[in-house]
């Protein structure tokens, strides 16, 4: 198990946006942390009320947004316009090219969300968009599949051989980790003991194939687990 601590991440403060970068992104470059398998970006963003990212382009990237607090307004040139709330998962396949914007839907309250980039399995596909809600009850005390290549079990589909699970665990809970190949575990909030090490909000750990993942909740919190080829 290789641990990536929250305070080791890259950080950018733009006033209206405060962002932590698990992997190299924009002006933050760390050759030792360029990504993990097909996982390229995990940005933890906090956006002040009334601000956001204006229309900007992407291509050949699978982009997942996961709202933690507040509401995020999404618009794109495919005609989609949605407001995301905690528990919602949005997947946008940029493919041959897409233009989109993301704004804090509130003028007063803050927005806290994760933006995740996955390198695609196939390049040059037709751009597409999908958004689904995963209520707390579906994630509480268990691993809920929220994204997968075939959109299994009601998850959003993604153009990559990847399974993304989300789980909410209370103190003392010991969930059995789903089968994984190469795994990346990201603690969203709370505190977890993982293979004897304490991981707090923003901490992450990488695992090689067949490596055991023993997790126990220390403080109630949420965890994302990426299973990657």
């Amino acid at each position: 198990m290789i641990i990536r601590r929250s305070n080791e991440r890259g950080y950018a403060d733009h006033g209206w946006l405060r962002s932590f970068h698990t992997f190299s992104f924009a002006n933050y470059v760390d050759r030792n942390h360029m990504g993990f398998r097909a996982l390229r970006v995990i940005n933890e963003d906090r956006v002040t009320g009334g601000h956001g990212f204006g229309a900007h382009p992407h291509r050949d990237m699978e982009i997942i947004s996961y709202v933690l607090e507040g509401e995020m307004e999404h618009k794109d040139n495919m005609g989609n316009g949605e407001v995301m709330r905690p528990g919602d998962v949005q997947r946008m396949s940029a493919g041959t090219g897409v233009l989109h914007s993301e704004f804090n839907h509130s003028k007063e309250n803050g927005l806290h969300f994760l933006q995740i980039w996955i390198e695609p399995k196939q390049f040059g596909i037709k751009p597409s968009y999908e958004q689904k809600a995963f209520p707390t009850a579906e994630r509480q005390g268990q691993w809920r599949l929220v994204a997968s290549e075939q959109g299994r079990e009601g998850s959003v589909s993604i153009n990559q051989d990847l399974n993304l699970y989300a789980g909410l665990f209370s103190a003392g809970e010991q969930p059995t980790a789903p089968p994984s190949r190469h795994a990346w575990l990201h603690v969203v909030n709370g505190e977890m003991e993982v293979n004897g090490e304490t991981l707090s909000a923003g901490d992450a750990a990488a695992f090689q194939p067949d490596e055991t993942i023993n997790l126990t909740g220390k403080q109630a919190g949420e965890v994302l687990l990426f299973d990657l080829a």
Side-chain angles (χ1 to χ4, degrees):
M1 180 175 74
I2 299 174
I3 296 175
R4 173 74 158 146
R5 294 292 181 187
S6 173
N7 61 6
E8 297 172 348
R9 297 179 294 176
Y11 178 67
D13 187 342
H14 301 284
W16 63 271
L17 167 68
R18 291 181 296 126
S19 183
F20 284 96
H21 310 311
T22 296
F23 303 113
S24 294
F25 185 85
N27 293 328
Y28 168 62
V29 178
D30 183 340
R31 296 298 176 187
N32 294 319
H33 297 95
M34 299 299 294
F36 181 78
R37 311 298 291 180
L39 177 58
R40 181 62 188 83
V41 167
I42 301 179
N43 287 347
E44 181 182 356
D45 292 344
R46 288 178 170 84
V47 180
T48 60
H51 291 82
F53 305 88
H56 58 282
H58 292 283
R59 65 176 299 139
D60 285 326
M61 191 65 71
E62 299 292 297
I63 300 169
I64 293 176
S65 296
Y66 194 89
V67 174
L68 307 175
E69 297 176 89
E71 298 177 322
M72 185 176 79
E73 184 175 351
H74 166 96
K75 291 182 180 178
D76 62 48
N77 63 347
M78 294 179 285
N80 300 298
E82 300 280 354
V83 174
M84 292 184 64
R85 298 175 175 85
D88 290 349
V89 175
Q90 175 199 102
R91 183 272 305 159
M92 188 172 65
S93 297
T96 55
V98 67
L99 196 67
H100 81 132
S101 64
E102 298 161 305
F103 275 85
N104 187 339
H105 189 58
S106 170
K107 300 296 183 184
E108 298 83 22
N109 301 320
L111 167 65
H112 184 195
F113 74 105
L114 297 178
Q115 183 157 105
I116 299 159
W117 290 9
I118 309 292
E119 294 175 356
K121 186 174 183 178
Q122 292 180 297
F123 291 82
I125 67 171
K126 180 180 178 181
S128 63
Y129 172 95
E130 188 178 9
Q131 180 174 321
K132 290 187 176 181
F134 298 91
T136 297
E138 294 185 10
R139 295 174 285 134
Q140 189 65 57
Q142 60 189 332
W143 295 103
R144 174 63 165 102
L145 184 66
V146 298
S148 64
E149 186 174 10
Q150 304 298 330
R152 303 190 324 277
E153 301 172 24
S155 62
V156 299
S157 60
I158 187 167
N159 174 27
Q160 183 52 267
D161 183 3
L162 170 149
N163 297 304
L164 172 57
Y165 300 88
L168 295 164
F169 304 114
S170 302
E173 282 193 295
Q174 295 180 303
T176 300
S180 61
R181 295 154 296 176
H182 298 270
W184 184 271
L185 185 149
H186 180 90
V187 178
V188 176
N189 52 52
E191 194 171 88
M192 304 288 153
E193 182 178 295
V194 183
N195 291 7
E197 296 281 349
T198 297
L199 300 185
S200 302
D203 290 347
F207 302 85
Q208 296 305 306
D210 302 322
E211 191 173 356
T212 301
I213 303 175
N214 293 316
L215 184 147
T216 302
K218 294 191 72 174
Q219 295 178 2
E222 183 166 12
V223 184
L224 295 181
L225 179 63
F226 298 82
D227 161 41
L228 301 135

